[in-house]
Amino acid sequence: MEKFEKFSGIAAPMPLVNIDTDMIIPKIFLKTIKRSGLGVNLFDEMRYERDGSEKPDFVLNKPAYRDASILIAGDNFGCGSSREHAPWALADFGIKVVVSTSFADIFFNNCFKNGMLPIVLPQEQVDLLMKDAEKGANARQEVDLEAQTITTSDGTVITFDVDPFRKHCLLEGLDDIGLTLEKSAAIDTFESQAAQSRPWV
């Protein structure tokens, strides 16, 4: 997993509430077990007409937000079924941060495991970021995980909370496999000692 670094990016405003995982990535695209290639189908039903053409009014189809890396979302983002394809699709599109007043628990946990940062903020702060995002591509927001801050395009600084262990994993680029490999020396020592003390195993 790539290390999460401080960055400045375009924030897309998506004030809809209760965006579930089927809206994020419809079930017809769940046949793959690859994390790549799902970005094109992100928000498929909201993003495309039945003939495959883009809906021009959908936020991520607008020229200002095609390269968005931050999503300012409505309440209860990522609710519904527990599909890991949802954060895969967001990450493959290029989204690094999702801000909302609340997230579904499983989606929230899956974000961290896939290198994305979900940020929970009070409604008034989400509203402020939403309004800033509505300015378009020139209104870039800066996310600093180390300092736990989001800075708006006009310099307003908002602080956020994040679990220290999850913060460490994101900053170091550690998924579950990476965390295990950090203990490889201790594992090797244990296996060597076990082989000597229990050669019959």
Side-chain angles (χ1 to χ4, degrees):
M1 197 166 72
E2 291 185 7
K3 293 183 178 182
F4 190 102
E5 299 178 348
K6 175 180 176 181
F7 76 98
S8 173
I10 297 167
M14 190 176 289
L16 296 174
V17 300
N18 301 321
I19 292 181
D20 64 25
T21 52
D22 194 55
M23 292 174 70
I24 296 172
I25 183 74
K27 58 182 175 294
I28 62 172
F29 302 111
L30 305 186
K31 299 173 184 177
T32 181
I33 57 171
K34 295 181 180 179
R35 299 186 186 194
S36 60
L38 291 170
V40 68
N41 301 118
L42 179 67
F43 300 118
D44 190 85
E45 293 177 3
M46 293 190 288
R47 198 169 154 197
Y48 301 108
E49 303 286 358
R50 289 195 174 186
D51 63 4
S53 61
E54 291 185 348
K55 295 180 179 180
D57 291 337
F58 182 67
V59 61
L60 295 181
N61 289 338
K62 295 179 180 180
Y65 301 108
R66 286 184 177 273
D67 295 320
S69 55
I70 303 168
L71 190 64
I72 312 299
D75 188 54
N76 197 29
F77 190 84
C79 56
S81 61
S82 57
R83 59 188 65 168
E84 197 168 8
H85 293 69
W88 290 358
L90 286 161
D92 191 60
F93 180 86
I95 301 296
K96 296 181 178 180
V97 172
V98 183
V99 180
S100 178
T101 53
S102 70
F103 295 90
D105 287 342
I106 295 175
F107 175 83
F108 185 78
N109 293 330
N110 281 338
C111 282
F112 285 103
K113 291 182 178 182
N114 288 281
M116 284 177 28
L117 174 61
I119 297 175
V120 178
L121 291 173
Q123 186 66 59
E124 59 270 22
Q125 292 183 331
V126 173
D127 289 344
L128 189 153
L129 291 171
M130 191 81 69
K131 187 175 181 180
D132 188 55
E134 289 169 355
K135 296 177 184 177
N138 291 327
R140 300 176 74 88
Q141 297 178 5
E142 183 179 271
V143 179
D144 187 337
L145 176 56
E146 184 67 54
Q148 296 179 204
T149 59
I150 304 175
T151 306
T152 66
S153 62
D154 63 4
T156 301
V157 178
I158 294 172
T159 60
F160 60 88
D161 293 325
V162 61
D163 176 78
F165 174 71
R166 286 171 164 165
K167 176 180 178 178
H168 166 75
C169 290
L170 284 179
L171 289 172
E172 297 301 321
L174 298 171
D175 56 14
D176 289 345
I177 295 174
L179 285 168
T180 301
L181 291 176
E182 277 195 320
K183 308 295 184 184
S184 59
I187 293 170
D188 289 343
T189 299
F190 172 83
E191 292 292 344
S192 177
Q193 292 175 347
Q196 292 177 15
S197 62
R198 297 177 295 168
W200 59 88
V201 176

